Amino acid sequence: MLRLPPFTFRRPATLDEACALLAGEGAGEGRPVRVVAGGTDLWPNLKRRQEEAATVVSLMGITGLDGIGNGGANPGAGAHAGDRDGPTGSAAGELCIGATTTLDRVAASPVLRASYPALADAAAGISTVALRNMGTLGGNLCLNTRCTYFGQSEDWRCSIDYCMKEKGEVCWVAPSSDRCWAISASDAAPVLAALGARVRLVSCAGERAIPIAELYRDDGIEWLAKRPDEILAEVLLPAASAAGGRCRTAFRKLRRRGSIDFAALTVAAAVWTGDSGVVERASLWLGSVASSPLQARDAESSLVGRRLDPETIAEAARLCRREATPLDNADFTAQWRSRMVEVWAADALRALVRFPS
């Protein structure tokens, strides 16, 4: 049985207290502090000695970080869907989701099902029911990057020599490279990027809201752009991306089994059309093909000014494949995953207009 290493566990009651812990205990040299919510990623990583922690700060005792509601003044206590206000700085009409809202609540939320169905679909497809009951939206957005070599047992990793992401100097996926190519594993991130969502980051120095696309770096080791003393407190969804207006969204996920497994590829698509059905704006994001969610810019540009007919969709799907460069560090071969980028991108775009396969 794998056991957790020793560490100090902190369960603050307020966000200010949690930020103070990060600024205080997190300031010590060589004493890493980890933030945890549901723990479905951190606890296994600690058990496998893939991550270290002198202190673990839990967010699950903080009132106001759990819930779904409209923008307003400050997070409220004991919030549920539609019954609390959002954070300072949220734009008018934004829907706010607290970072510790569990994935099963995101998947089942009537508000999200009606207005942001692609996000609900993405949450519903993560792992298993048991883990969705524990895992949180904020935790999924901060998920550690994954790689075939890094994901093995401690004995296996040390037997071939540790990789660059851990204690070694070589990326075993691309030995001649000077960087780590571990891939982004979050299913929620590509969808929220396609929707133009923002995240609220809080620290003792204050708070800021940034586009979710700016939360990530294309780096398998330093994959998050937020500072170590910052806590992801809330996700902010723009009203312009809600269904029922001009925006249509779809999410597709490729994995070996229908549950449990991490994605080998995800596609998130959002398009905004005019009255005539012509695409005015498009957002296409790919997951699990790079160290951060990947925006398919050329494919997006090819859709603007055109109708979503089979020819337009086929061209955009080909461009998605050209922009993605999967490596041999996940399930299935890199060549096959590359081919599936085109297939699954076309399927996601067809779902927006219900074209037959």
Side-chain angles (χ1 to χ4, degrees):
M1 176 186 294
L2 296 177
R3 298 184 181 277
L4 287 169
F7 55 80
T8 300
F9 185 74
R10 305 279 189 172
R11 197 170 190 267
T14 67
L15 194 54
D16 286 344
E17 186 182 343
C19 291
L21 287 170
L22 292 188
E25 299 187 30
E29 282 288 331
R31 291 184 58 80
V33 177
R34 301 285 187 248
V35 174
V36 71
T40 57
D41 186 53
L42 181 63
W43 299 144
N45 288 351
L46 288 175
K47 288 180 178 181
R48 291 191 295 260
R49 305 309 190 257
Q50 292 169 317
E51 294 190 51
E52 299 177 346
T55 302
V56 175
V57 179
S58 173
L59 302 182
M60 297 308 281
I62 299 176
T63 300
L65 287 187
D66 174 19
I68 303 169
N70 295 320
N74 287 293
H80 293 283
D83 68 0
R84 74 166 173 85
D85 293 328
T88 300
S90 59
E94 280 187 324
L95 186 72
C96 307
I97 308 176
T100 63
T101 306
T102 57
L103 295 168
D104 69 300
R105 285 190 62 191
V106 172
S109 166
V111 174
L112 294 176
R113 280 281 164 200
S115 298
Y116 304 95
L119 176 59
D121 289 343
I126 295 172
S127 194
T128 63
V129 173
L131 291 183
R132 289 195 296 273
N133 284 333
M134 287 293 296
T136 64
L137 181 60
N140 188 260
L141 291 175
C142 296
L143 208 60
N144 201 342
T145 53
R146 296 182 57 80
C147 174
T148 300
Y149 295 91
F150 182 69
Q152 303 297 326
S153 67
E154 168 75 0
D155 289 342
W156 192 96
R157 298 197 313 277
C158 69
S159 69
I160 67 164
D161 198 1
Y162 294 107
C163 70
M164 185 184 294
K165 186 169 168 64
E166 198 166 2
K167 306 170 187 176
E169 298 179 354
V170 176
C171 174
W172 294 115
V173 177
S176 62
S177 175
D178 61 355
R179 58 155 290 182
C180 168
W181 291 93
I183 59 175
S184 174
S186 170
D187 287 356
V191 178
L192 289 170
L195 292 171
R198 301 187 300 156
V199 291
R200 184 170 68 107
L201 304 175
V202 180
S203 70
C204 286
E207 66 176 68
R208 60 191 178 116
I210 62 172
I212 199 164
E214 296 180 12
L215 180 64
Y216 301 99
R217 295 192 182 108
D218 189 20
D219 185 323
I221 298 173
E222 300 291 338
W223 70 96
L224 290 178
K226 75 177 185 68
R227 301 192 310 269
D229 64 326
E230 289 183 311
I231 294 172
L232 195 161
E234 202 147 19
V235 175
L236 311 172
L237 287 161
S241 299
R246 298 182 183 275
C247 181
R248 305 175 189 175
T249 61
F251 175 78
R252 292 293 184 269
K253 178 176 181 175
L254 171 66
R255 55 182 166 177
R256 188 172 293 273
R257 294 176 290 184
S259 65
I260 301 176
D261 293 339
F262 280 91
L265 165 70
T266 57
V267 180
V271 298
W272 289 258
T273 58
D275 293 335
S276 62
V278 173
V279 175
E280 296 178 345
R281 180 158 66 99
S283 187
L284 291 170
W285 288 77
L286 308 175
S288 299
V289 295
S291 297
S292 63
L294 177 66
Q295 186 175 12
R297 297 181 185 275
D298 290 345
E300 292 173 349
S301 298
S302 75
L303 294 172
V304 176
R306 303 170 66 180
R307 296 178 183 274
L308 283 174
D309 56 37
E311 181 181 347
T312 300
I313 288 173
E315 179 183 344
R318 285 193 297 270
L319 290 171
C320 282
R321 181 183 182 183
R322 192 177 71 181
E323 295 182 75
T325 55
L327 295 177
D328 195 17
N329 55 356
D331 198 8
F332 305 117
T333 65
Q335 293 82 359
W336 190 77
R337 287 165 61 214
S338 176
R339 170 73 182 104
M340 289 302 103
V341 170
E342 181 176 346
V343 173
W344 287 72
D347 189 59
L349 291 170
R350 279 196 299 267
L352 302 180
V353 288
R354 293 186 173 86
F355 279 123
S357 301

